[in-house]
Amino acid sequence: MTEEANQVRIAKFLSLTLVLWSAAGNLQAQSVPPCSADTTARYALKGWVLNLVTAPASDSDRVATRDSVSLPAVSPSQVSVITAASTCTTARNALAPLLGVPATSISVVVVKVAGRYVVQAPMETRGEFIPTSTFTSQFVAVKSYTY
Amino acid sequence: MPLLAWRGHALLTLTGAAFVVSCSNESTSGPLGVVADSGLQHSVACASGSVTITPPNTSPVPLCDFGSSYVLVELAFTGVITATPPGGQPYSRDPRGWPWGNGCVEGVYAISSTDGPWSAGPCTQSGQQPPPGYEMLRGAVNALWMGPVPNLPENQPSYSGDFTVSYTRVTGSGTAIADKWVLQAPGAVTFTATINPMTVGGGVQVPYSIHWRWQPDEPGGGDPAANCGPWLVCTTTISASGTMYADFIINGEATSKAVRIAVNSCPPTGDPWLDNPDFRKKLEDDLAASTPDGSIPDGRYETPGSWWTDDATGRPFYVPIPDYTSDNCHYTGGWPSVPGATPGVTTHTHPYRPWELIPYCGTGQMPIGTRYLPATPSNPDWNNANNHGVNGCIIEVGRIFCYPPGVPSGQRGANVTKYKKQPDGCYAKQP
């Protein structure tokens, strides 16, 4: 085998390697963790939910908002941020069709409120807003709203 | 006896002294424009300029028309003329009464106006730059070379060089401020006007007059300006929103400054910005400009703005934020730079009714059934307040809500203050 033939084989090998590496990179870019690592978004959403679900009956405005987003009145201990990948995966599978994006392209913040979930994908903004939805415990969407 | 006998060449430096002589009342048109004949509001066409005169030509050179009222004009004469008298011939007194010589240049030039009095200004020694000379002039003014009058025709000297007469009409500006800008109830306000400069040339008073004039927002009621005399300070009672104008005539030029006084006719909310009716009105104007009744998304636009406080006077004022890329769900306007002022509030609109359906944000489709969540600043809204260190206020249909900077993300929901619009148009703080 001539040296020229060897160089051709090496070049082909390198090209194939490059193509495979590139493809793998693309696959990786299209799949993101199901749970968002955005702690600011987590705190913000949880704080907003807490403010609503703990509203006293005398605060008609907050109560009305709570009702409008279909959340129950509960104690603070019943509000939590979900970081389990399995729940986040279910949540983003439910949210993604509403947003019109592939589920694997979004990471979500999930706040559990008794038998409800409030879900948003912080990176999926629409203008200044983050579309946010309230789901049942079976992840059936009941309300969507700007946030 | 001659005060100065010239032998050979003599060097003259022409100075700021001026003769003002009478001439006919002719043109009302100066080189810079038309001058009205009478009335306090006439405009003064002359601003500044100069003419150059070359002896021995003694023809008047049009300088300017300073109008029908006297105005203060700064005059300066520069130039060097070399006079060469016939050899051996001394000069004696100028027959018009002034000596010729001794470093002074009386009789060498003149400024003529309609009916100005003769006046001899200071003269200086040869070679010295004179200070500015100030004269009250009016009407058409010419400059001319008069020349020293020799005793005998045969003593006529020859000249070389020229001189330039420069004129600058003294200009001033007026300002007016108040000791209060927003009243929560009818009360006394002191308005103070200033003229800058008050004097020129080390004590020459700049002529001015002032007239206070009140323009109410709504017709009717008394006239607070009726209590104001033609003075720089006026204290009077203001009972409803309006604008006090200080109408100046400063050295013949009319100018006016406005002082806006807002009187809050609504119950106070405790927030100094919300208790400024102009602040509320501007927010409502911005909301109207955002067309909350328009189609979504193309018919609605968020409208940003900002409110500032003048550091020197405490006056609150609005500064628009031009934004040509906003849509129904965002704006991208930058933050203005306002020297001498402190930012107070960043404002914008959410052109929606509470819980209104929003199918699109710009070109982005929203989840089906998405509704506008009322009285909730978005993350960019909080960040904007944080970035500028100011409160944010947003108006939506029927409500204004405000939020401070620096709130931890987990406590944002509890730090929004809401003001609901009442049937009487006022805004009431919600518990």
Side-chain angles (χ1 to χ4, degrees):
Chain A
M1 187 176 291
T2 64
E3 186 175 338
E4 186 177 339
N6 268 337
Q7 287 178 343
V8 169
R9 287 180 63 190
I10 291 170
K12 284 181 177 177
F13 174 77
L14 288 176
S15 297
L16 182 61
T17 303
L18 187 62
V19 167
L20 290 172
W21 178 81
S22 176
N26 284 338
L27 282 175
Q28 193 171 22
Q30 289 172 358
S31 181
V32 297
C35 292
S36 170
D38 185 342
T39 53
T40 299
R42 288 181 190 170
Y43 292 140
L45 189 62
K46 182 184 178 186
W48 175 74
V49 168
L50 272 173
N51 187 54
L52 289 182
V53 299
T54 60
S58 59
D59 191 339
S60 58
D61 190 65
R62 282 159 67 194
V63 169
T65 300
R66 183 183 68 208
D67 293 344
S68 295
V69 298
S70 294
L71 291 178
V74 297
S75 65
S77 63
Q78 292 178 277
V79 177
S80 59
V81 174
I82 301 297
T83 55
S86 58
T87 306
C88 289
T89 299
T90 305
R92 75 175 181 179
N93 287 341
L95 181 66
L98 304 180
L99 298 173
V101 298
T104 54
S105 70
I106 59 173
S107 297
V108 295
V109 172
V110 181
V111 176
K112 185 178 182 183
V113 187
R116 300 285 192 188
Y117 292 96
V118 178
V119 185
Q120 66 176 205
M123 301 302 291
E124 281 296 319
T125 56
R126 301 289 186 271
E128 66 174 291
F129 302 117
I130 303 171
T132 302
S133 298
T134 302
F135 293 89
T136 65
S137 59
Q138 303 303 311
F139 281 98
V140 175
V142 290
K143 294 285 181 181
S144 292
Y145 37 89
T146 59
Y147 173 85
Chain B
M1 182 176 96
L3 294 177
L4 177 66
W6 283 358
R7 302 205 181 270
H9 297 274
L11 199 63
L12 304 181
T13 298
L14 301 171
T15 74
F19 287 136
V20 181
V21 299
S22 297
C23 67
S24 63
N25 186 5
E26 42 179 316
S27 169
T28 56
S29 176
L32 301 181
V34 174
V35 178
D37 282 327
S38 62
L40 290 176
Q41 300 299 319
H42 80 285
S43 62
V44 178
C46 294
S48 63
S50 64
V51 296
T52 297
I53 298 167
T54 304
N57 180 16
T58 56
S59 300
V61 178
L63 189 63
C64 203
D65 191 321
F66 291 99
S68 57
S69 299
Y70 279 103
V71 294
L72 188 65
V73 178
E74 178 186 348
L75 298 171
F77 303 88
T78 59
V80 175
I81 298 171
T82 300
T84 306
Q89 297 295 324
Y91 289 105
S92 59
R93 291 183 66 86
D94 186 321
R96 287 162 296 189
W98 287 279
W100 167 241
N102 199 27
C104 294
V105 290
E106 290 95 335
V108 177
Y109 58 87
I111 300 295
S112 63
S113 68
T114 305
D115 55 0
W118 285 81
S119 65
C123 48
T124 66
Q125 295 300 316
S126 175
Q128 293 180 338
Q129 281 292 324
Y134 291 91
E135 295 286 346
M136 295 293 289
L137 297 178
R138 73 174 182 179
V141 173
N142 297 315
L144 69 155
W145 165 259
M146 297 180 72
V149 177
N151 281 340
L152 299 170
E154 61 270 27
N155 289 342
Q156 183 69 45
S158 60
Y159 305 100
S160 64
D162 56 26
F163 70 92
T164 298
V165 180
S166 300
Y167 64 91
T168 303
R169 185 176 59 81
V170 174
T171 59
S173 61
T175 61
I177 61 172
D179 65 339
K180 306 177 192 71
W181 306 94
V182 180
L183 301 179
Q184 297 305 311
V189 176
T190 297
F191 299 91
T192 303
T194 55
I195 309 291
N196 186 32
M198 285 293 285
T199 61
V200 292
V204 180
Q205 176 81 43
V206 176
Y208 75 88
S209 65
I210 183 170
H211 172 74
W212 295 98
R213 174 170 51 91
W214 176 254
Q215 178 68 52
D217 286 2
E218 304 291 339
D223 179 9
N227 301 321
C228 299
W231 318 117
L232 293 175
V233 178
C234 169
T235 298
T236 186
T237 298
I238 304 295
S239 57
S241 296
T243 302
M244 183 70 89
Y245 291 91
D247 295 329
F248 301 97
I249 296 176
I250 303 173
N251 201 27
E253 188 169 39
T255 183
S256 188
K257 292 295 178 184
V259 182
R260 169 74 184 163
I261 303 294
V263 180
N264 187 20
S265 58
C266 290
T269 66
D271 181 293
W273 290 103
L274 265 295
D275 288 338
N276 180 346
D278 290 350
F279 178 85
R280 300 193 302 265
K281 173 71 163 49
K282 191 72 188 76
L283 271 176
E284 292 189 334
D285 289 347
D286 285 349
L287 181 63
S290 300
T291 57
D293 293 322
S295 60
I296 297 176
D298 295 338
R300 305 192 196 189
Y301 304 90
E302 292 196 0
T303 302
S306 62
W307 279 82
W308 299 69
T309 302
D310 186 293
D311 292 337
T313 66
R315 179 178 65 91
F317 60 98
Y318 176 80
V319 177
I321 297 178
D323 184 0
Y324 306 105
T325 61
S326 72
D327 60 26
N328 64 316
C329 291
H330 92 291
Y331 69 93
T332 53
W335 188 244
S337 173
V338 186
T342 300
V345 187
T346 171
T347 65
H348 71 286
T349 62
H350 284 175
Y352 300 104
R353 288 170 172 72
W355 305 109
E356 184 176 3
L357 278 171
I358 305 182
Y360 292 92
C361 269
T363 57
Q365 186 166 350
M366 300 290 276
I368 293 173
T370 296
R371 293 185 177 273
Y372 170 68
L373 178 64
T376 305
S378 67
N379 283 344
D381 293 338
W382 287 102
N383 293 339
N384 197 35
N386 289 341
N387 292 341
H388 305 303
V390 298
N391 287 350
C393 283
I394 301 170
I395 186 169
E396 62 193 19
V397 176
R399 184 153 47 184
I400 295 170
F401 52 101
C402 300
Y403 46 100
V407 176
S409 59
Q411 300 171 22
R412 288 175 173 176
N415 280 278
V416 178
T417 307
K418 306 163 192 172
Y419 305 91
K420 193 167 188 177
K421 191 169 188 178
Q422 305 300 300
D424 61 0
C426 295
Y427 286 82
K429 185 177 180 179
Q430 294 182 261

